[in-house]
Amino acid sequence: MGKVVFDISVSLDGFVAGPNQTLDEPLGEGGELLHEWAFATKGFRERHGESGGETNVDSEVVEEWLDNTFATVMGRRMFSGGEGPWEDDPNADAWWGDDPPFHHPVFVLTHHAREPVPKRGGTTFTFVTDGIEAALEQARAAAGGKDVGVGGGAIVAQQYLKAGLLDDVRLHLVPVLLGDGVRLFENHVADTAPKLERTRVIESPTGVTHLEYRVVK
Amino acid sequence: MGKVVFDISVSLDGFVAGPNQTLDEPLGEGGELLHEWAFATKGFRERHGESGGETNVDSEVVEEWLDNTFATVMGRRMFSGGEGPWEDDPNADAWWGDDPPFHHPVFVLTHHAREPVPKRGGTTFTFVTDGIEAALEQARAAAGGKDVGVGGGAIVAQQYLKAGLLDDVRLHLVPVLLGDGVRLFENHVADTAPKLERTRVIESPTGVTHLEYRVVK
């Protein structure tokens, strides 16, 4: 059976998005800085129909992730581009565009049942109203024995971590300080904290440190 | 001139001490977990008159730090073992014992003038009431051109970072989740965030990742 992997870029001060998220700036102020390393790679650009890009270990990390993820689970706020009054808008998927970067089935955790939204390039957003385990079950089925990605946001990832449903946590530690925003680990309760075993460190010349941890079960 | 180095162990969720710090548990609940890697090393044990201990990269990291730090600056709360009613107690230094681990001059930032407290083994606590720059100046003089350590706590380190007075930030990233406690970066303002350049990654078999960043000036 494939792994359930939470893969995310995080600032040195522990933020996965900047403050003041809006539809125009869904990653919050400064949040783009967390993803520049990935956007700059050949691996990322190729999958988005663009030429050029860096061929370095960052690109290998991106390619490995893209090549091995066959379904994604995400929260409603990630789907709708942050928290705000637009969340319930039927066009809330607009910010992902016509050709989202997933190219595989995406299961969106929500309280509002809704018809699936097919997009170009293999991405279909399917809405799941009966909780994180049900969403993961559907994602596992869609991935056909390969890896499932937990896309975020942070709160959804924490729920999966607490429930013991994550196998790997991959952090891309970016050497910036955002100062404020959405914390990767905000609501975690120490009593239920899982043990993590570091399985890999990849040091990129761009200053990003790619860290992989296995959740000990 | 020597460097000004902030060297600290931090949990994967960004805490440098656990919650509920008391005099009996100055590192807070679970806070000891952040320092086990260092306490277990031969390098640390030797300097504390104990035999045994691990001879691994963790030990090399500890030895390098101990060998190169010739004066330390710390906040009053670190001196007195956390925040609490005992802070103003004249015996508030009790938790460091008779032979503190520094073995060099320590300058304590405080608002209350006080006579220096000499301890065994070369550690003298000197109290500085006129701010972080004055404390650093005294520490630099005491270090005689060698490195000065900023001991913490987190708030003191943030003040030095914001003031542009730190040269290096060394984080020992420990694969535990504390869930709550004292955050390494809590009050940082993004507008004044310094740029950091990663200069070193040391991967220890114990699961700790030693990360060194240079503050770009």
Side-chain angles (χ1 to χ4, degrees), chain A residues 3-5 68-73 136 139-140 143 146-150:
Chain A
K3 290 180 179 177
V4 182
V5 178
N68 290 290
T69 308
F70 286 80
T72 291
V73 177
L136 181 56
R140 277 193 191 282
K146 293 177 180 163
D147 290 358
V148 170
V150 170

Side-chain angles (χ1 to χ4, degrees), chain A residues 178 183 190 198 204 208-209, chain B residues 178 183 186 190 198 204 208-209:
Chain A
L178 292 188
R183 287 192 190 277
R198 198 199 51 214
S204 157
V208 177
T209 313
Chain B
L178 292 187
R183 287 191 190 277
E186 180 68 278
R198 199 198 53 214
S204 158
V208 177
T209 313

